[in-house]
Amino acid sequence: MKTIVSIIAVVILWTSAMAAAPPRRTKETLEDFETVKRPPLELQQRERARTFELLLIRWEELRLEASDKAIQEMEAFVKEHPDSPQIADVLYAIADATMTNRPLNLTKATACTEDFIRMRPDDERGAELLWTLAHYHHGNGKSQQVIYRRIAADYTGTFYATMAEGGLR
């Protein structure tokens, strides 16, 4: 019985070896690698956009449990990709996260808000961030008034400008 099993095993191995492709040289493998085409640019851009969407979702979820980690990851993204077309969205998310992080670091939240506004001065989300900052200055009426005036002047016609004007009365 052992002899029959041994013969069958040898036959199977021998037929497998005969059917296998001969080994290739490194040069041939590298030539094949060079001829592989990259995906079209449009597909690459869609994949990058989708990847960025997933990063924003991750950071939003992380902010609920580990906002410090989310902020660190977002700040690392800004450092690694300063020319990214989505950098303003990340700066907004950082500013928003610093305001919901506890304990609140008002100096950092203000700096992050200013970073976003410098990047996108006409984006209404700047008014939203400023409004939130004004809320955290509720014990300091002068600071709050300065922020309200800025919102009313820089974001005229927006919801937050209307609210700021009401806060100035």
Side-chain angles (χ1 to χ4, degrees), residues 79-106:
K79 287 178 185 169
E80 293 170 18
H81 308 283
D83 297 329
S84 170
Q86 292 90 6
I87 201 74
D89 295 324
V90 179
L91 291 173
Y92 170 80
I94 292 170
D96 190 48
T98 58
M99 286 191 240
T100 57
N101 197 13
R102 296 294 177 256
L104 175 65
N105 181 339
L106 198 53

Side-chain angles (χ1 to χ4, degrees), residues 80-146:
E80 293 170 18
H81 308 283
D83 297 329
S84 170
Q86 292 90 6
I87 201 74
D89 295 324
V90 179
L91 291 173
Y92 170 80
I94 292 170
D96 190 48
T98 58
M99 286 191 240
T100 57
N101 197 13
R102 296 294 177 256
L104 175 65
N105 181 339
L106 198 53
T107 303
K108 183 173 182 175
T110 302
C112 292
T113 297
E114 294 301 333
D115 288 345
F116 172 76
I117 292 172
R118 269 191 300 281
M119 179 66 70
R120 290 263 180 90
D122 297 329
D123 191 321
E124 284 186 36
R125 293 179 295 176
E128 177 187 346
L129 293 171
L130 288 170
W131 179 262
T132 305
L133 278 177
H135 169 76
Y136 288 120
H137 282 275
H138 64 276
N140 185 342
K142 290 181 182 180
S143 295
Q144 198 173 41
Q145 296 294 312
V146 168

Side-chain angles (χ1 to χ4, degrees), residues 127 130-131 134 144-156 158-169:
L130 288 170
W131 179 262
Q144 198 173 41
Q145 296 294 312
V146 168
I147 295 171
Y148 285 160
R149 283 190 193 92
R150 181 175 176 192
I151 295 170
D154 294 350
Y155 299 96
T156 306
T158 66
F159 168 78
Y160 289 102
T162 304
M163 296 297 288
E165 289 166 359
L168 288 169
R169 291 185 194 147

Side-chain angles (χ1 to χ4, degrees), residues 3-23:
T3 308
I4 294 173
V5 172
S6 297
I7 292 172
I8 292 173
V10 169
V11 169
I12 291 173
L13 288 173
W14 182 75
T15 56
S16 297
M18 297 304 286

